[in-house]
Amino acid sequence: MERYRTRSVRHPQVPAQAARRPRPPVPAPARRMPRPRLTGLGGGLFACVAMLLVAGIAWLLFDSSLFVYGLLFLPVAAATALWVRPADLITAPVCVPIAFAAGVWPVSGGSGGFGGELMGVVSALSLHAGWLYAGTLVAGLIALARRAALSGRRRAAAARRGSSSAAC
């Protein structure tokens, strides 16, 4: 049986100098946000832990300011919606308000036992519902935009596959 060998000669259409010329270095990509893929449960845990940290910071540095707590809730809601897996996008607008409620306890201002603490939490939630709605809206809009982009990419890929199979 005859052995097949590859040619050691360059292809006649490619000049020898072009084949030997080193490629220019690829510039390093710009520093980006990390892209973790959190499950629905992981997104909820991330949001709860982040809001407890935010509440601790607001309690220590800003004298339990619910304004600061609500203001810092918005980036936590956005990060949760950005970092959740595409399969679990529906969980982002659900777990973000739960995280707001879970983290509001240190800054609620309740006093005098369990009943006083509970009344402080309920009062804080009712008086600062605007922040809660805004963060939920942010998470919902980001999840909706990500879902629309994902659907658009899938449709484009299906259209490319359909047109390439029709061309064959």
Side-chain angles (χ1 to χ4, degrees):
M1 182 172 217
E2 184 178 332
R3 293 189 125 187
Y4 294 101
R5 294 186 326 175
T6 59
R7 295 183 190 188
S8 60
V9 190
R10 294 275 181 208
H11 195 276
Q13 294 177 348
V14 178
Q17 291 177 350
R20 291 185 198 144
R21 183 176 38 199
R23 293 183 178 158
V26 177
R31 188 103 176 133
R32 294 184 211 168
M33 289 279 293
R35 297 195 46 114
R37 293 289 173 221
L38 300 174
T39 62
L41 179 61
L45 288 174
F46 164 75
C48 285
V49 169
M51 288 313 296
L52 281 170
L53 288 173
V54 164
I57 290 169
W59 179 65
L60 288 173
L61 300 178
F62 299 104
D63 195 31
S64 298
S65 172
L66 281 166
F67 174 77
V68 172
Y69 179 77
L71 192 64
L72 293 176
F73 172 62
L74 299 178
V76 170
T80 303
L82 286 171
W83 288 347
V84 76
R85 292 185 318 174
D88 295 328
L89 278 174
I90 193 66
T91 61
V94 173
C95 67
V96 166
I98 296 170
F100 185 90
V104 80
W105 171 71
V107 292
S108 64
S111 61
F114 179 74
E117 293 291 333
L118 183 64
M119 287 305 296
V121 168
V122 170
S123 297
L125 288 173
S126 65
L127 293 174
H128 297 280
W131 291 112
L132 180 62
Y133 293 146
T136 306
L137 182 67
V138 165
L141 289 176
I142 289 174
L144 187 65
R146 285 186 60 201
R147 187 54 136 180
L150 183 65
S151 296
R153 282 192 299 249
R154 285 183 181 166
R155 283 189 187 141
R160 279 194 303 270
R161 279 186 299 219
S163 66
S164 66
S165 64
C168 293

